[in-house]
Amino acid sequence: MKNIPFASFRPMERELGAEMRDAFARVLERSFYIGGPEDRAFEEAFAAWNGVPFCVGTGNGLDALMLILKALGIGPGDEVIVPSDTFIATALAVTYTGARPVFAEPRLSTFNLDPDRLEALITPRTRAILPVHLYGQTCEMDPILEIAGRHGLPVVEDCAQAHGALYKGRKAGTFGVAAAFSFYPGKNLGALGDAGAVITSDPALAAKVRALGNYGSDVKYHHIYQGHNSRLDEIQAALLSVKLPHLERMNESRRETARKYLDGIRNPQVILPAVLPECTPVWHIFGVRCRRRAELEKWLDSRGIGTNKHYPVPIHLQECYRDLGFSRGAYPVAEEISETELSLPMYYGMTDEETGRVIDAVNSFA
């Protein structure tokens, strides 16, 4: 019996491979590789797809976050509130500005930042709130925005896992002053290498992000900031332009797989993710929780089913953040998630047979 991988690009590649090869050939024929027509076309298309006026391509999602924060003037001595349960790039973006990440606990049921715990973390040094739409479900944006507005703080959205996710019918990335996207190959909208983007409705912020990512330059050889080299290259832009028109259809395929999981998994040892009524996830990751995670992981592996763990070591316990002085127990919700979360196979094009095998294997775990 054929194994079921945790993730697979094969269904997408079978459908779009010829068109992607044509896009690659077009870039090669044009001999224009940075800041050309493919980049501009994708930026315009992705901005329109999200319903915002501006998009700036970047080298990756981490840079997209960092450039937004730097464009907002955040730096040494400042604090930025980030979730305690997220990929480390969110915190690194804060660190690279010289500011300090301040961790906010998530809700155990949704994995996303808990707004009820947010306000107590705000200090005179807080300069921004950075919610992450984790696993493809949007955060509870209304209370986050209300708290931020009351304190005069900008909200920067991390949409690395939420391309097309909705909150009350509105797309992730359109609530704050700006949003960062990653197009890492495994994302719902993925390139064939590293790539990212910033979207915003603020023309001045967009211009500053673009300059900061282009060595701090507004025009060639004129540098107004001490900037970075972080630009979306033409090949990745061309490939993303091929995939973007199919993204909603591919997201719907993930939603259908998630519906089958939510309806079919009935093992009392396995806790399913909660979906808030105001949210329409895109299911970048389908994460369940199980106190016997290692045994469940081994059980599924023995049946040819791939899994992953997001994230087995929380940020505050990572060696690189030892200087922040946290020890085990500092963020118990994030720690519980890190010790119990297991991600099931989730990708565009999963068949009914594959989904059914995963459900049966999870339900038969005793």
Side-chain angles (χ1 to χ4, degrees):
M1 187 177 294
K2 186 178 179 181
N3 288 353
I4 300 173
F6 168 68
S8 173
F9 304 131
R10 293 304 182 194
M12 177 275 297
E13 290 167 349
R14 283 194 294 269
E15 292 181 17
L16 303 182
E19 194 175 350
M20 292 172 73
R21 283 188 286 272
D22 288 344
F24 179 85
R26 185 173 67 244
V27 174
L28 194 64
E29 177 67 24
R30 192 178 276 144
S31 296
F32 198 144
Y33 301 117
I34 297 289
E38 299 289 350
D39 190 10
R40 291 193 294 273
F42 174 74
E43 288 179 347
E44 291 174 6
F46 194 61
W49 191 82
N50 284 287
V52 298
F54 304 106
C55 171
V56 180
T58 65
N60 53 68
L62 167 56
D63 285 357
L65 277 176
M66 177 193 66
L67 293 171
I68 295 170
L69 296 176
K70 286 199 169 187
L72 292 172
I74 292 169
D78 295 335
E79 295 177 350
V80 177
I81 298 174
V82 303
S84 57
D85 177 40
T86 183
F87 183 56
I88 198 168
T90 312
L92 288 175
V94 177
T95 301
Y96 290 165
T97 69
R100 177 186 176 94
V102 173
F103 299 117
E105 286 275 58
R107 290 199 194 279
L108 195 57
S109 56
T110 66
F111 307 106
N112 274 331
L113 188 151
D114 184 348
D116 296 336
R117 299 171 180 259
L118 179 58
E119 195 156 24
L121 300 173
I122 296 174
T123 74
R125 293 180 296 278
T126 306
R127 293 293 178 267
I129 299 171
L130 207 171
V132 180
H133 304 301
L134 202 65
Y135 301 173
Q137 178 167 209
T138 51
C139 295
E140 299 163 68
M141 292 308 298
D142 279 354
I144 292 172
L145 291 168
E146 192 276 328
I147 292 167
R150 194 163 358 107
H151 291 271
L153 296 171
V155 172
V156 176
E157 296 174 73
D158 184 336
C159 298
Q161 301 182 7
H163 312 68
L166 304 177
Y167 178 78
K168 296 186 175 180
R170 184 173 162 186
K171 281 183 177 172
T174 64
F175 295 90
V177 297
F181 287 83
S182 167
F183 303 124
Y184 180 77
K187 306 299 186 184
N188 291 36
L189 179 61
L192 298 193
D194 278 318
V198 171
I199 64 170
T200 182
S201 295
D202 184 335
L205 186 62
K208 190 169 183 180
V209 166
R210 188 177 297 281
L212 282 168
N214 187 35
Y215 299 97
S217 175
D218 55 348
V219 295
K220 195 172 182 67
Y221 300 132
H222 179 244
H223 303 271
I224 52 179
Y225 311 111
Q226 295 179 5
H228 304 265
N229 175 17
S230 183
R231 300 167 297 189
L232 178 62
D233 70 66
E234 288 286 281
I235 289 175
Q236 302 303 345
L239 297 171
L240 289 167
S241 290
V242 170
K243 298 171 78 172
L244 180 60
H246 304 274
L247 179 55
E248 187 50 50
R249 174 174 62 85
M250 292 181 173
N251 281 344
E252 187 54 40
S253 169
R254 290 173 177 264
R255 293 187 186 109
E256 181 59 28
T257 298
R259 281 192 285 268
K260 292 172 183 174
Y261 282 160
L262 291 169
D263 291 341
I265 294 175
R266 288 291 180 266
N267 190 326
Q269 297 185 78
V270 176
I271 302 171
L272 296 170
V275 180
L276 300 179
E278 61 267 32
C279 296
T280 306
V282 292
W283 299 106
H284 172 61
I285 289 166
F286 190 94
V288 301
R289 290 194 301 111
C290 179
R291 295 198 177 279
R292 295 169 59 206
R293 178 178 66 185
E295 295 169 69
L296 176 59
E297 181 181 24
K298 185 177 180 180
W299 174 264
L300 294 176
D301 181 67
S302 71
R303 281 147 182 79
I305 296 171
T307 59
N308 208 330
K309 295 185 284 289
H310 296 88
Y311 299 96
V313 181
I315 298 175
H316 67 280
L317 297 180
Q318 293 283 355
E319 185 175 353
C320 65
Y321 278 117
R322 185 181 298 168
D323 62 306
L324 295 181
F326 296 114
S327 57
R328 186 164 297 278
Y331 294 92
V333 181
E335 290 170 25
E336 181 166 350
I337 291 172
S338 74
E339 293 165 2
T340 60
E341 192 275 346
L342 188 68
S343 302
L344 302 182
M346 173 59 72
Y347 51 88
Y348 167 69
M350 280 192 74
T351 66
D352 290 344
E353 188 270 336
E354 290 170 331
T355 309
R357 278 180 56 195
V358 175
I359 292 170
D360 290 345
V362 173
N363 284 340
S364 63
F365 173 68

